Amino acid sequence: MSEKTGKKLFMSRHFIGGRSQVVPCELRRLAPGDRDEAVRLHYRATHGLSREIFVPTEERDLVRLLGGDGVSIGVWYEDRLICMRAVMTDGEWVNEMLSHMDFPPDGERRTAYTDHCIVDRDFRGNNVQFLTHYAIENVMEDRFEMFLTTVSPKNTFSLQNILGCNFVIVGVKNLYGGYVRYIMQKKLTRNMPIWTHGHLVIPISDIKNQREALDDGFVGYKMIRKNRGFSVLYAPMAERPPKGYWKNMAAGSSAK
């Protein structure tokens, strides 16, 4: 996918008054020349959001993400940018983020960090977050073997989207000046299985027990609605099944 040519998408646009209509859009790489539209979209999509939910990207960082320090993909409707997904690729920049998350630096520079994916309000509900993630994987898979990102536990819509792209929760940290964020990870290579039978069901609001599960080697892999709220399913991620796994699984099958 080049910066000048892209792929056609036919998406639903929502209009004032409850009308919606399928319109032609284009998915393509973004470049420094798209700065003005990137800034406009970022302001329109994030204006009014609490920093507890989403911390906007500063303009100087948007410029870096459009240039040699990142990879950005956008969806256009006519001359209007209606979605942007941006990933940090510069090794030093990514290692700064890893340090903030208490992760060791990546000396091989095979880790990328998804800074944001934002969508114009008129085009939400098209699963464009899902489409743009897999598009950017296709561009980057020969250079990178792991993606990281963060999301607020209170931003359940974005959390569902990221889990739907097969990221897992590997940490819960206070970031961006003290706001709680899930740390989400997706490995493209050297993956370990998740042993989902006998999972834990932990409410999103229960940060303490989620941190304990993560400390025990569990990862969050799915979000469900339970008891009028949302919970996350946690299960062990390891090369081998946890002790007693097959016995407990058989016991569960017999109970049915």
Side-chain angles (χ1 to χ4, degrees), residues 2 4 6 13 22 39 67 79 93 95 99 107 127 135 151 159 165 170 174 182 186 194 198 207 209 211 213 227 241:
S2 73
K4 294 183 179 180
R13 180 188 178 189
V22 173
V39 172
D79 59 352
W93 199 9
N95 280 337
S99 176
N127 293 318
V151 65
L159 175 59
C165 293
V170 295
N174 292 337
Y182 286 129
K186 182 175 183 179
I194 301 171
I207 299 299
N209 277 321
R211 283 179 168 147
N227 298 329

Side-chain angles (χ1 to χ4, degrees), residues 43-237:
Y43 178 81
R44 174 176 166 82
T46 65
H47 180 65
L49 290 179
S50 164
R51 293 175 71 88
E52 193 171 19
I53 297 293
F54 185 87
V55 176
T57 302
E58 295 184 10
E59 185 171 341
R60 66 173 182 271
D61 289 336
L62 280 175
V63 173
R64 292 183 70 182
L65 290 163
L66 291 167
D69 291 342
V71 174
S72 297
I73 283 182
V75 179
W76 296 80
Y77 169 60
E78 297 178 342
D79 59 352
R80 172 179 157 196
L81 184 65
I82 56 93
C83 174
M84 177 180 177
R85 178 177 289 277
V87 178
M88 293 180 188
T89 57
D90 176 75
E92 291 185 8
W93 199 9
V94 171
N95 280 337
E96 287 178 17
M97 289 303 304
L98 293 175
S99 176
H100 292 321
M101 295 185 287
D102 296 327
F103 278 37
D106 178 5
E108 297 181 1
R109 302 195 173 190
R110 299 277 287 171
T111 300
Y113 177 81
T114 300
D115 183 81
H116 65 267
C117 179
I118 50 175
V119 183
D120 188 292
R121 295 169 189 175
D122 293 349
F123 286 86
R124 290 178 183 171
N126 283 287
N127 293 318
V128 70
Q129 296 94 334
F130 181 86
L131 294 171
T132 53
H133 173 74
Y134 282 100
I136 217 161
E137 271 190 14
N138 184 258
V139 170
M140 297 174 60
E141 57 88 18
D142 61 333
R143 294 174 50 205
F144 297 90
E145 61 184 30
M146 183 167 70
F147 285 85
L148 289 171
T149 194
T150 61
V151 65
S152 167
K154 295 186 176 182
N155 191 350
T156 53
F157 183 78
S158 289
L159 175 59
Q160 183 69 28
N161 282 326
I162 297 168
L163 289 169
C165 293
N166 293 305
F167 282 72
V168 294
I169 299 169
V170 295
V172 183
K173 301 285 185 183
N174 292 337
L175 300 170
Y176 311 118
Y179 299 103
V180 178
R181 292 292 188 266
Y182 286 129
I183 299 174
M184 313 284 292
Q185 178 190 78
K186 182 175 183 179
K187 287 187 175 181
L188 307 185
T189 62
R190 295 184 284 185
N191 279 297
M192 289 190 289
I194 301 171
W195 303 91
T196 59
H197 288 282
H199 57 242
L200 305 176
V201 182
I202 307 178
I204 280 181
S205 59
D206 189 348
I207 299 299
K208 178 178 180 294
N209 277 321
Q210 289 182 83
R211 283 179 168 147
E212 289 178 359
L214 291 162
D215 288 343
D216 288 339
F218 287 63
V219 296
Y221 69 94
K222 187 176 182 179
M223 185 176 74
I224 62 171
R225 185 183 288 273
K226 189 176 178 67
N227 298 329
R228 298 185 179 180
F230 290 101
S231 294
V232 177
L233 305 186
Y234 282 85
M237 184 168 68

